[in-house]
Every structure is written in C-alpha cells, then in structure tokens.
Amino acid sequence: MYDNWEQLKNDCMNCRKCQLAATRTKLVFGVGNENARVLFIGEGPGANEDLQGEPFVGRGGQLLDKFLAAVDLDRKKNIYIANMVKCRPPQNRDPSPEEQNECIGWLREQTRLLKPKIIVCLGRISATRLISPDFKVTKQHGQFFDKNGTLMMGTFHPAALLRNPNQKPEALEDFIALREKILEICPETYEL
Ligand code: URA
C-alpha cells in the first residue's frame, strides 16, 4: 500500500512481474491530475504509447481528446487516464488474464490514491474486468453502475470508434451523460 504517487510510480516503473516487461520500450504508468475525481481506464499501450510512455497518444488518443474536449475535460487538467496493463502486449493482442492479474495491483494503488468519484471504462477489456464479466459495450454503454460508492460507466474504446465511426454519436452521448454526472456529484472537476 502506497501513501504517495512518487513512490508508487517509481516501483511500478521497475515492474517485471509479467512477460510484457521483456518486450516493452517504455512502461505507461498513466497521465493526468493526481487530484482528479474522474478516472478513465483503457486496455493497454499500443505502439505509439510504448514509444512515448503516455496513454492514448496515437490516432485513437487524438479522438479521445476530442470527445474529452467536447465536455470540457482535458488530460492535462482535470482527469486521470490509466490502462488495465502498463506494458504493450506484442502485436496489440488483448492482454491475457494472467497479465491483467499481475498488473491490476498497480491500478488498484492508483485508484486508492486518486479516490475517484467516477470511473469510465474505455472498451470491453476494462469494462468486463471492472464493471461486470458479461458487460456488453454496445448494449450498456453510458449507464452508470454504483460500485461501493464509486460510479462506473463503460463506453466505446476509441480504436473501436475509428473502425466503426457510425458509433461516434452514441459515444458523444455517453460523454454528455458523463458531464451531467460530474456536475451532479463532483462539480469541482470543472474548477481543476
Ligand atoms: N489503447 C488503450 O487502451 N490504451 C492506450 O493507452 C492506447 C491505446
């Protein structure tokens, strides 16, 4: 258990708990405001993230930034973004359950320090692990679920929206619902 970000980040950056450590260029710890009330959780680093050490910096990331900006959210300002696994799975395959199990402790510690009021799962991998194993993004996106006092919502993964642009309007509705929820339970987000 950690009581500060610096120590947590330092230990995480040296992690070699699973095989992904051997093939990573950079570990992708997370980005954002450490006092944010809203946490976004993706799947795992892709090629660009592995090179730069920051989540969602490729084409999908640019799209994510646009959706965030539409509801006045900004990774440099008022949210935090992390992934289920901190190192890139080769060929962008899904992280295995074992890799997720080894890595989830880091995310738990990040969540403990952040104490978010709202967690947004970007895509199936984080939504099925964190909201419910049978979560269906196409059916349940945009709905809020209370998990021990934290509101959790799943929405489309930005990479999925690049493949299926017809789902963008539904994704935008999710972000608009998110803004409403933020204004209701953690309006201080918009003062950060
Ligand atoms: N996809 C993710 O899920 N996370 C990233 O950081 C980049 C792409």
Side-chain angles (χ1 to χ4, degrees):
M1 298 244 271
Y2 290 83
D3 58 11
N4 70 83
W5 283 93
E6 203 187 317
Q7 210 179 1
L8 171 61
K9 184 167 184 183
N10 192 52
D11 286 359
C12 181
M13 295 304 280
N14 292 311
C15 181
R16 306 204 69 85
K17 284 198 248 186
C18 83
Q19 58 186 358
L20 298 181
T23 49
R24 75 181 174 224
T25 310
K26 287 190 175 170
L27 184 147
V28 180
F29 179 73
V31 69
N33 188 330
E34 290 165 359
N35 297 308
R37 308 277 70 163
V38 185
L39 169 62
F40 287 78
I41 303 177
E43 177 178 326
N48 295 292
E49 292 76 20
D50 176 69
L51 289 175
Q52 296 184 42
E54 181 171 329
F56 290 103
V57 291
R59 271 183 71 220
Q62 287 167 21
L63 182 61
L64 174 62
D65 283 338
K66 274 197 204 169
F67 278 100
L68 292 171
V71 294
D72 304 304
L73 297 175
D74 181 340
R75 67 170 75 197
K76 293 200 176 65
K77 223 172 125 188
N78 53 10
I79 59 165
Y80 196 90
I81 307 178
N83 279 311
M84 292 304 298
V85 296
K86 308 288 188 239
C87 300
R88 182 188 183 204
Q91 281 88 46
N92 298 343
R93 62 165 169 77
D94 288 353
S96 70
E98 293 74 26
E99 288 157 358
Q100 293 186 52
N101 289 342
E102 290 295 348
C103 204
I104 201 163
W106 298 122
L107 182 62
R108 283 211 188 96
E109 291 296 323
Q110 289 174 302
T111 308
R112 261 183 12 92
L113 288 179
L114 199 65
K115 299 185 190 67
K117 296 268 192 232
I118 301 175
I119 295 178
V120 179
C121 295
L122 295 167
R124 171 182 56 87
I125 295 285
S126 58
T128 53
R129 179 74 195 229
L130 302 175
I131 301 176
S132 95
D134 54 4
F135 190 90
K136 292 277 178 294
V137 176
T138 48
K139 292 211 178 93
Q140 292 169 292
H141 68 92
Q143 296 177 23
F144 288 90
F145 301 86
D146 189 326
K147 287 234 164 183
N148 307 313
T150 306
L151 288 182
M152 316 246 339
M153 185 251 265
T155 187
F156 301 91
H157 192 283
L161 294 175
L162 289 174
R163 285 192 303 272
N164 303 309
N166 58 316
Q167 290 173 325
K168 284 184 190 176
E170 287 175 87
L172 183 60
E173 280 178 33
D174 295 348
F175 278 78
I176 291 169
L178 172 63
R179 170 163 58 192
E180 290 305 308
K181 197 57 88 179
I182 291 172
L183 289 171
E184 186 185 321
I185 69 166
C186 49
E188 65 273 25
T189 291
Y190 288 117
E191 254 107 74
L192 291 174

